[in-house]
Amino acid sequence: MDLTVVKFDGNALSDGSRIRKAAESVVKEYKKGKQIIVVASAIRNTTDDLIDLSNEAAGSFLTDAQKAEIMAMGERTSARLIKSTIEALGVKSEVIDPYSDLWPVMTNTNFTHAKINLESTQPKINTLKILLNQGIIPVICGFLGKGPHGEVTTLSRGGSDITAFLIGNTLNASEVILVTDVDGVMSSDPTKIEKVQLLKEISVEELKTISTKASQIVNPYALKFKSKDLKAKVISINHGDLEAEGTTIIGPFRDETLKTVSLYRQPLSIIAIVGDSLVETPGLLGILTRYLSENDLNIYKLTVGDNSVTIFVDKKEAQRAYKILHDFVLESDTFNSVSLGKDTAMITIVSLDVIEKPGIIAAITEQLRKNSINILEINSSQTAIVLIVEWDEGERAKKLINDILE
């Protein structure tokens, strides 16, 4: 029998009519002979409101354990509303929250940023089959976990996505459906751009990038559980139909991108171009990069300061790039001089820890400092860190960084 895991986010449950529509869409599929597991997020703004109220009332006296209990009330409430509405439509349903014997998501003891213990979680997820085989629709509180001593914990923001994909993966579900208040994934943010288009499909890697660098459509960690055979899509609650078209999520998550530390195979040479008030000169980078492109020079990294632009090129091209950039400086009214520096190693770190683990950059830099490795340059995005060290230290730095991430 086909199993569908459907997650309703807070926007899809923003009022009574949408909660009714959510329940009706679930019952409609159930009556077609499908097994359904519902994952419920807190109703829109509820979690933030609870946090604000608790901070206003108790302030710094509030413990992390108390915060987790309070934050959990949003999901516990919405799950009960969905369950009650499903039963009002004539189908048996049961709420599964951390106080239930069937609660599946087990975590560590971090109350507000808990990590899932997969070894103990996956067997418990399988016990949900007991309800499914009895024709009952389980409604599971997303975002929540249970620690090793029975304490309530919470996952990171968007944790309901993790719950849905983890359950779908473990139970070999046919599909995970993410229901929100828009038709799917758009070409840009519709609140900022007027003429946006619905994307009919998006790859896991593209979705992960959007969710880490722009708006979090799906919790990036949740996509780890998107297997090749697990279908997934994002649709709107406004259709009131789980078979509605939206945006299909294509492909499995590539595990090798979850945590990687890579050292570029060749040394890169530093070329520094010096000038005055560079960041205040419109179009400067466009002129510079176009000049390099016209001369068939590839840039591996580029950084801009107020008085300098630093360019990293392959060592094999360093002398040619140096001469070309010197000609550029002589023709420029903005730049004054150019210099060729030492050979360097470029290390790229790709890890969800960059967004999920506070202090990861500090841990990496401290590890290198303790081992007397000087960082020449460092940049980070929401999922990647790029480090430049001296070439002779590249392999050692890579190993030390790997030790931090393991």
Side-chain angles (χ1 to χ4, degrees):
M1 185 178 292
D2 282 348
L3 169 63
T4 298
V5 179
V6 54
K7 186 218 86 170
F8 295 98
D9 74 7
N11 292 323
L13 304 173
S14 59
D15 57 41
S17 64
R18 284 187 169 180
I19 293 170
R20 176 83 179 189
K21 193 171 287 188
E24 288 173 342
S25 68
V26 168
V27 170
K28 180 180 177 181
E29 294 305 302
Y30 173 87
K31 289 184 176 179
K32 292 177 182 178
K34 294 181 181 179
Q35 293 181 329
I36 307 286
I37 293 176
V38 175
V39 176
S41 299
I43 294 168
R44 184 169 59 191
N45 299 328
T46 298
T47 302
D48 287 335
D49 290 343
L50 290 170
I51 292 171
D52 290 343
L53 283 169
S54 59
N55 286 336
E56 184 180 351
S60 61
F61 293 99
L62 204 66
T63 67
D64 285 344
Q66 290 169 334
K67 287 179 184 177
E69 287 272 5
I70 293 168
M71 291 166 67
M73 295 307 296
E75 279 71 20
R76 294 184 68 204
T77 300
S78 58
R80 283 160 172 77
L81 285 166
I82 295 173
K83 179 254 189 188
S84 299
T85 311
I86 289 172
E87 291 193 331
L89 295 169
V91 177
K92 291 183 179 180
S93 181
E94 184 170 331
V95 169
I96 311 294
D97 68 14
Y99 300 100
S100 167
D101 292 337
L102 293 177
W103 178 255
V105 183
M106 308 304 294
T107 71
N108 62 6
T109 57
N110 190 322
F111 288 104
T112 56
H113 293 87
K115 299 295 183 184
I116 295 174
N117 183 330
L118 290 176
E119 185 177 354
S120 57
T121 292
Q122 288 171 331
K124 288 183 176 294
I125 288 176
N126 279 301
T127 63
L128 295 173
K129 294 177 182 177
I130 296 171
L131 296 180
L132 294 172
N133 293 335
Q134 294 174 5
I136 297 172
I137 297 177
V139 181
I140 299 171
C141 299
F143 177 59
L144 308 184
K146 182 189 286 188
H149 307 295
E151 62 272 36
V152 175
T153 61
T154 60
L155 308 178
S156 57
R157 287 284 183 163
S160 295
D161 299 326
I162 300 173
T163 308
F165 273 100
L166 174 57
I167 291 172
N169 182 294
T170 302
L171 293 180
N172 296 314
S174 301
E175 188 172 25
V176 170
I177 303 174
L178 308 178
V179 186
T180 182
D181 63 339
V182 294
D183 287 332
V185 182
M186 301 297 178
S187 57
S188 189
D189 187 341
T191 65
K192 298 176 182 177
I193 301 291
E194 287 185 14
K195 296 181 180 180
V196 297
Q197 292 183 339
L198 172 68
L199 304 182
K200 292 296 184 181
E201 60 182 41
I202 188 169
S203 72
V204 168
E205 297 305 315
E206 289 174 310
L207 185 56
K208 183 187 74 172
T209 300
I210 291 173
S211 295
T212 53
K213 296 182 182 295
S215 56
Q216 183 169 303
I217 298 167
V218 178
N219 185 300
Y221 185 79
L223 295 172
K224 173 185 177 182
F225 303 105
K226 169 65 173 72
S227 62
K228 178 182 178 181
D229 296 326
L230 179 59
K231 294 189 293 184
K233 66 180 179 180
V234 182
I235 65 171
S236 172
I237 186 65
N238 296 321
H239 298 295
D241 185 356
L242 297 185
E243 292 189 351
E245 293 185 358
T247 300
T248 301
I249 303 171
I250 302 296
F253 188 89
R254 297 200 299 269
D255 285 341
E256 66 269 21
T257 66
L258 187 60
K259 283 187 180 181
T260 61
V261 182
S262 59
L263 173 66
Y264 184 66
R265 63 187 181 279
Q266 300 292 338
L268 300 181
S269 296
I270 300 175
I271 301 178
I273 316 174
V274 177
D276 291 324
S277 303
L278 302 183
V279 295
E280 298 174 5
T281 306
L284 181 64
L285 283 183
I287 295 170
L288 174 58
T289 55
R290 185 166 59 250
Y291 187 85
L292 293 172
S293 175
E294 289 169 354
N295 285 276
D296 295 320
L297 276 172
N298 189 33
I299 303 169
Y300 288 84
K301 191 172 183 299
L302 183 150
T303 56
V304 181
D306 188 46
N307 297 309
S308 67
V309 175
T310 305
I311 297 171
F312 294 83
V313 298
D314 194 300
K315 182 182 179 181
K316 295 175 183 177
E317 294 278 16
Q319 287 297 328
R320 188 170 76 91
Y322 181 39
K323 292 176 182 178
I324 288 171
L325 285 168
H326 182 256
D327 292 340
F328 177 78
V329 168
L330 292 180
E331 297 172 6
S332 171
D333 295 328
T334 307
F335 293 108
N336 300 319
S337 67
V338 61
S339 60
L340 177 62
K342 62 182 73 176
D343 295 338
T344 65
M346 181 171 69
I347 301 170
T348 303
I349 306 150
V350 178
S351 173
L352 292 181
D353 281 349
V354 177
I355 55 174
E356 291 190 342
K357 186 176 180 180
I360 185 66
I361 293 177
I364 290 170
T365 56
E366 176 62 14
Q367 176 84 317
L368 298 185
R369 184 199 67 79
K370 288 192 301 184
N371 287 275
S372 302
I373 296 179
N374 187 36
I375 299 173
L376 303 178
E377 194 164 303
I378 182 169
N379 301 96
S380 69
S381 68
Q382 290 192 343
T383 54
I385 302 169
V386 178
L387 282 169
I388 301 292
V389 300
E390 293 184 13
W391 174 251
D392 292 342
E393 298 285 12
E395 286 290 350
R396 190 162 71 98
K398 176 185 173 183
K399 181 180 183 304
L400 292 167
I401 294 167
N402 260 320
D403 291 343
I404 286 288
L405 295 181
E406 288 178 353

